[in-house]
Amino acid sequence: MFFEPPPAQEERTRPPKPGWPAWSAPPADEMGAVMVSGLILARTPNVAITVPTIQAFSTGCLINVDLVTRRQTLSPDDFQALQLSVFPHMVTGVKAEQPLPDQLLRFGVRLADGAKATTVGQRWDRTQLPQDPPPGPQLSLLLPGMSMRSGDEDVGVTTWGLWLWPSPPQERFQLAVEWPVGGIELSIVELDGAAIAAAAQQAVPYWPESPQDR
């Protein structure tokens, strides 16, 4: 043989990465109960941000967000820049005690008692996340997926998840978004904490506990 398999080498062992802590993402062993929302969070000629559904879990709720961009009268370069700004973890220039970059897409919640949580300054490396629960509430922006849609190629749909931990109180609370480069000024809608709490009672474990597992 001219080309031969490489010789065996000693495998390097890497310490396992910690799992995502419960406060930073939905539980892996549970199917959240889906609530249809249909809220329009914000809309401009080039951008629409909607909340089609909310999934209620026993430990928190996942607010599903669709961010839709379309070119319309934008130049190809401006439209490309707008689409790249959809991803906050790729935006540079976010520094402590400095004005936030216009490109930074940011979400936040404010509860009835005034407690607030935002996605600004979120850490994306799970090795840097504390495993012990921090003071709540916490709002984590989960890495997105691209939604395939038919129609104009100059339209893009990105689906985000906003994980709110712990479960919100049974009161109405605010969900906010701001994205200056997308023309989105501070926009706020109200969500129903009582409805989310009721839906959470319908969350289903993927593997129900059996008597022999107890």
Side-chain angles (χ1 to χ4, degrees), residues 15-164:
K17 287 187 176 182
W20 293 102
W23 59 266
S24 68
D29 59 353
E30 190 175 293
M31 178 174 61
V34 177
M35 301 170 49
V36 176
S37 166
L39 287 173
I40 304 294
L41 187 50
R43 182 162 49 197
T44 72
N46 299 102
V47 176
I49 302 177
T50 69
V51 181
T53 60
I54 298 172
Q55 287 174 269
F57 293 81
S58 60
T59 56
C61 68
L62 183 64
I63 304 168
N64 296 304
V65 175
D66 281 349
L67 195 155
V68 188
T69 56
R70 64 176 181 175
R71 181 178 166 188
Q72 284 288 87
T73 59
L74 295 177
S75 69
D77 288 344
D78 287 344
F79 184 55
Q80 183 181 41
L82 179 67
Q83 289 182 305
L84 291 176
S85 297
V86 168
F87 306 100
H89 57 293
M90 298 181 66
V91 175
T92 60
V94 182
K95 299 179 180 179
E97 300 180 355
Q98 296 292 324
L100 297 176
D102 286 347
Q103 293 84 358
L104 183 65
L105 171 66
R106 49 260 201 184
F107 293 93
V109 295
R110 182 161 52 199
L111 306 183
D113 64 0
K116 185 173 69 171
T118 76
T119 58
V120 175
Q122 177 177 334
R123 294 181 178 180
W124 298 93
D125 184 352
R126 64 182 172 184
T127 62
Q128 298 180 8
L129 297 178
Q131 293 296 308
D132 293 333
Q138 292 286 323
L139 187 68
S140 302
L141 187 61
L142 308 187
L143 290 175
M146 303 298 292
S147 297
M148 294 181 63
R149 304 288 177 90
S150 62
D152 193 334
E153 65 178 6
D154 284 337
V155 174
V157 182
T158 307
T159 299
W160 289 94
L162 290 169
W163 173 244
L164 175 59

Side-chain angles (χ1 to χ4, degrees), residues 152-212:
D152 193 334
E153 65 178 6
D154 284 337
V155 174
V157 182
T158 307
T159 299
W160 289 94
L162 290 169
W163 173 244
L164 175 59
W165 175 94
S167 299
Q170 297 188 36
E171 301 171 282
R172 300 193 70 83
F173 64 98
Q174 295 178 330
L175 171 66
V177 66
E178 188 176 50
W179 193 30
V181 77
I184 303 296
E185 299 179 353
L186 179 61
S187 302
I188 298 174
V189 297
E190 285 197 344
L191 301 179
D192 188 347
I196 292 173
Q201 301 300 314
Q202 306 303 315
V204 177
Y206 291 123
W207 296 279
E209 187 179 13
S210 58
Q212 57 267 31

